[in-house]
Amino acid sequence: LGDLTSYLDRVWALPEEEDPHFPLIKLCKAHFMKNIAVNVKAKYPKLKPKQRGLIMTHFAAMIEAQGKNELFATFRDFAQLIQSPWFEEDIETLIDHYKNSEIPALDLNFVEPTHALVMEDLFKMSPQSPQSCDTFVVLPDKTKGGVVIFGKNSDRPAGEVQEIIYEPAADHSDDALVQCTYIQIPQVAHTQAVVLSKPAWMWGAEMGANEKGVVVGNEAVWTNALDGSDEKKERLLGMDMVRLSLERSTSASEAVDVLVSLLETHGQGGPCSDTDPDLLYHNSFLVADPTEAWVLETAGNLWVAQKITEGYRNISNCLSIGTEFDRSSGNLLEVTKEKGWWDGEGDFNFTTALSSGSDTRRKVCGEKLLSDLSKDGTFSLHSMLTVLRDDASGICMANGDFISTGSQVSVLTPPGGSGGPSCHWFTGTPDPQRSVFKPFVFTPNARISPFIQSPEIENDPAKTSPRFSREVDRSHLLYRRQQAALKSASEETESTLRQLEEQCIEETLNTLAKLASDSLSELDDLFKDCVDSELKFYK
């Protein structure tokens, strides 16, 4: 913020409605609120997210009520502010006032009309509705080599461990059942081999790939159908649906069929965190294979799907499908009219009808990054790494209640293509800027390192009732080593890590380009060996 002071000195006296740089002032206010949120969490770690949200709301209103000179001084003297007695006193008073996490009616009439947009942004960024995850795909017409490139940052509660697992293909009996995170459902006759990046406490996955070249990632979305009536009822999580769709499909289109069938048959619901039972949301999905991609967005049991065959597409924590979609639930128009979400006039717009209000800024930033990096038709693995590591946009999240706990990039090549087999790159550790992407290729005897898998927990509180009765340590060895190393890491250390990753990328791409189809067994231990090398570096 210090770098902005001279600029703000020049523009601060302008009326906000006349200031062409008003968005920058908004950004400063938002950044200030983010710093308050971080400090509140650090000082009072036992507060519930909803309580922190209410406290944030209080400070947002307080900041807007200040005159410009006082607010500018607050920006400049943030460090002094955090240590001031009134900050501590106000926090303590608010904690007592909101101890039952009840949402009070807020009167915002005192706020000047020119401040309305700022207030809206500040309320949106409070921890009451966590903003997390970004998923991307770039199609062959925009990529180097005519491949499909998929990427996702999985942004989850800070401290939640993400593991990488491999499940081989399998056949199952007619009466077999599969235990998902909360419920059992009938198993299918055959499941594909899958590699998954998943929160260690749940059965489902945030993202992954299967042996047929299908990749899937999901996003949390908040919709009008999320009305608090029965979202805590244990059904399928969106992450369960990611895993099931990968296990049961051979193409992106078929994966959409599976997702829709699961949604309509079993529904979605249940806590989406083992540390915050109030984290509840609906899901959107980005599905891709070597030729096409699909976006599937849901609101309760309602859904629409959009096919993408060229260009690029990204999804974030907001509905994004409007009037143009290729498939939808059969009762979509009837239900939305009955609920009063659509008046039946004009073209039906899924986002307008179903969105309960979401922050679209990260999605817009993601679109800009994809546009800039693909404009010459040479988008590559490195381009997607650049997108996932972009912190200015908020796509890479390293601090706060929610952080990027795991990341994936997949380069999907058509069968028999000149680029060799599809390759999937996973971190298995937080913060893609300071993590190493490691390659995985499906082979007849692929192996995953046990050092990137979480330990089995006796009487696991995520699997017993009542659930989540105690906290447990699910960290795997790579997670512990990486976190310990980064606490004291220098810029030189991080630079060396990036150099090692780049060397791995170069060697892997060269190997894949020359690899004969009958020599895949040479890559059985590719991912395992890379994990072992990273562990040695941290030693």
Side-chain angles (χ1 to χ4, degrees), residues 47-358:
L47 284 179
K48 295 179 180 178
K50 190 179 291 184
Q51 289 174 317
R52 286 199 298 272
L54 291 167
I55 291 168
M56 288 285 290
T57 298
H58 169 89
F59 279 105
M62 179 203 72
I63 286 173
E64 287 304 309
Q66 286 184 320
K68 289 184 177 180
N69 291 335
E70 291 86 351
L71 185 55
F72 190 28
T74 299
F75 282 137
R76 283 179 159 171
D77 301 324
F78 175 74
Q80 183 177 350
L81 163 74
I82 294 301
Q83 302 301 323
S84 64
W86 68 260
F87 181 85
E88 298 281 355
E89 291 168 6
D90 270 26
I91 291 290
E92 298 292 348
T93 301
L94 288 164
I95 289 172
D96 182 64
H97 185 70
Y98 298 136
K99 61 185 176 183
N100 295 319
S101 298
E102 295 176 355
I103 303 289
L106 296 175
D107 179 10
L108 303 183
N109 292 330
F110 70 89
V111 181
E112 296 178 19
T114 53
H115 293 167
L117 193 57
V118 178
M119 288 297 293
E120 179 184 357
D121 286 348
L122 291 173
F123 286 130
K124 282 179 179 178
M125 67 179 293
S126 82
Q128 295 179 67
S129 295
Q131 303 296 302
S132 55
C133 291
D134 297 274
T135 310
F136 309 87
V137 69
V138 183
L139 279 296
D141 62 307
K142 292 287 187 179
T143 65
K144 183 178 181 180
V147 297
V148 169
I149 302 178
F150 169 94
K152 178 181 177 180
N153 276 348
S154 170
D155 303 330
R156 299 281 304 169
E160 183 181 83
V161 177
Q162 200 141 148
E163 62 179 348
I164 312 298
I165 69 168
Y166 168 75
E167 291 289 341
D171 295 317
H172 308 278
S173 63
D174 293 341
D175 59 351
L177 298 173
V178 56
Q179 177 63 55
C180 302
T181 300
Y182 296 128
I183 65 173
Q184 280 189 338
I185 67 171
Q187 184 57 283
V188 294
H190 179 79
T191 50
Q192 313 294 340
V194 295
V195 59
L196 306 168
S197 184
K198 58 183 288 292
W201 68 271
M202 70 174 63
W203 182 84
E206 279 280 303
M207 52 202 170
N210 73 16
E211 61 183 316
K212 302 299 182 181
V214 180
V215 291
V216 184
N218 76 311
E219 299 283 330
V221 293
W222 286 267
T223 74
N224 289 330
L226 194 71
D227 58 9
S229 58
D230 69 344
E231 282 81 16
K232 286 191 176 182
K233 183 175 180 180
E234 295 183 348
R235 301 184 179 94
L236 290 177
L237 293 179
M239 288 67 73
D240 294 334
M241 296 166 68
V242 168
R243 179 170 179 171
L244 290 164
S245 65
L246 288 168
E247 291 182 342
R248 301 179 177 197
S249 67
T250 59
S251 68
S253 178
E254 189 176 7
V256 173
D257 291 339
V258 173
L259 288 166
V260 166
S261 176
L262 292 168
L263 180 69
E264 295 183 337
T265 303
H266 304 287
Q268 55 183 328
C272 299
S273 166
D274 65 336
T275 57
D276 179 10
D278 293 324
L279 180 57
L280 307 162
Y281 50 75
H282 292 155
N283 292 269
S284 64
F285 303 87
L286 181 54
V287 186
D289 64 22
T291 61
E292 66 183 25
W294 286 80
V295 172
L296 172 67
E297 297 187 339
T298 74
N301 288 347
L302 303 176
W303 59 271
V304 291
Q306 184 181 68
K307 184 178 180 180
I308 301 100
T309 57
E310 62 182 11
Y312 52 81
R313 186 69 155 86
N314 65 310
I315 58 175
S316 189
N317 297 113
C318 55
L319 296 180
S320 62
I321 297 178
T323 59
E324 297 181 3
F325 45 87
D326 298 279
R327 299 174 56 188
S328 66
S329 48
N331 61 345
L332 178 62
L333 302 186
E334 176 186 350
V335 172
T336 51
K337 285 179 66 176
E338 179 184 314
K339 296 286 188 180
W341 299 330
W342 179 50
D343 61 9
E345 300 293 328
D347 293 335
F348 176 80
N349 186 305
F350 188 77
T351 295
T352 300
L354 274 304
S355 176
S356 61
S358 300

